[in-house]
Amino acid sequence: MQQAWLRERPGTPVGSIGVITRIWWIGKLLDEERRATHQRTGMDAATLDLLSTLRREGEPYRLPPGELARRSLVSAGAISQRVARAEREGHVRRLRSTEDGRGVLVELTAQGHAAIEHTVDDLLTHEEGLLRALTPEERTTPAGLLRRLLADLTEIRQRARG
């Protein structure tokens, strides 16, 4: 692809194609794999994100909605919808904050805990298999480079938003 563009448009900067196009293709393939896993486990991406965030917090597996939104990189409205849906499904419950009585905390229920344990095991075992072409040592290089690229792109986006 790079060579074809250089042939057709000499002098065009094509170095990004080898990285960004591959990341994009990999992203599409991984998105398809994630969707299949969500379908298999019966848990949608938004619920997985919510329950995973609470589970990673450690006992007692609760956070305020604002913190959930911040960690999930979504709006307060999106978190409110996610929490309402997960609450209807029995995965979380809302509690009054003991600190001021006005605040709300979202807590993982026993049912939600069991659901996320099963789903995370299934998802991460499957995704580990998707990386079989790379040794554990080889994974550290792209992981570090992608972390740096993501941080820079995030900063660029934040500056553009003002």
Side-chain angles (χ1 to χ4, degrees):
M1 196 181 298
Q2 286 172 297
Q3 294 306 313
W5 278 117
L6 282 176
R7 182 187 69 239
E8 295 299 316
R9 295 191 50 160
T12 299
V14 296
S16 64
I17 291 173
V19 176
I20 292 177
T21 300
R22 284 186 179 98
I23 290 172
W24 186 72
W25 284 343
I26 290 168
K28 285 182 67 170
L29 293 170
L30 292 177
D31 184 55
E32 290 173 14
E33 289 293 331
R34 272 271 169 114
R35 287 176 194 266
T37 300
H38 291 316
Q39 189 172 15
R40 187 175 62 253
T41 63
M43 186 176 293
D44 63 271
T47 302
L48 173 67
D49 184 44
L50 174 68
L51 301 185
S52 293
T53 301
L54 289 167
R55 176 61 180 90
R56 288 189 312 266
E57 180 63 16
E59 289 192 56
Y61 312 116
R62 65 174 72 129
L63 287 168
E67 183 61 19
L68 285 167
R70 187 186 71 74
R71 292 186 190 187
S72 298
L73 304 176
V74 298
S75 69
I79 279 296
S80 181
Q81 290 177 352
R82 289 178 182 190
V83 169
R85 185 172 55 245
E87 191 172 37
R88 284 191 304 273
E89 294 170 354
H91 295 313
V92 301
R93 68 178 144 256
R94 295 177 220 220
L95 306 168
R96 286 271 171 224
S97 171
T98 56
E99 292 179 17
D100 65 10
R102 294 177 305 173
V104 174
L105 295 171
V106 179
E107 181 179 71
L108 193 61
T109 64
Q111 178 183 328
H113 189 278
I116 196 60
E117 292 294 302
H118 169 75
T119 302
V120 165
D121 282 346
D122 189 309
L123 175 69
L124 295 182
T125 298
H126 177 69
E127 289 184 352
E128 188 71 23
L130 296 176
L131 296 177
R132 70 181 178 268
L134 303 175
T135 67
E137 296 77 27
E138 289 172 327
R139 294 176 196 182
T140 61
T141 299
L145 294 173
L146 290 170
R147 184 175 21 261
R148 195 167 81 208
L149 179 60
L150 178 60
D152 187 57
L153 292 173
T154 301
E155 184 180 319
I156 290 168
R157 186 176 184 191
Q158 288 171 343
R159 279 197 314 260
R161 288 184 174 173

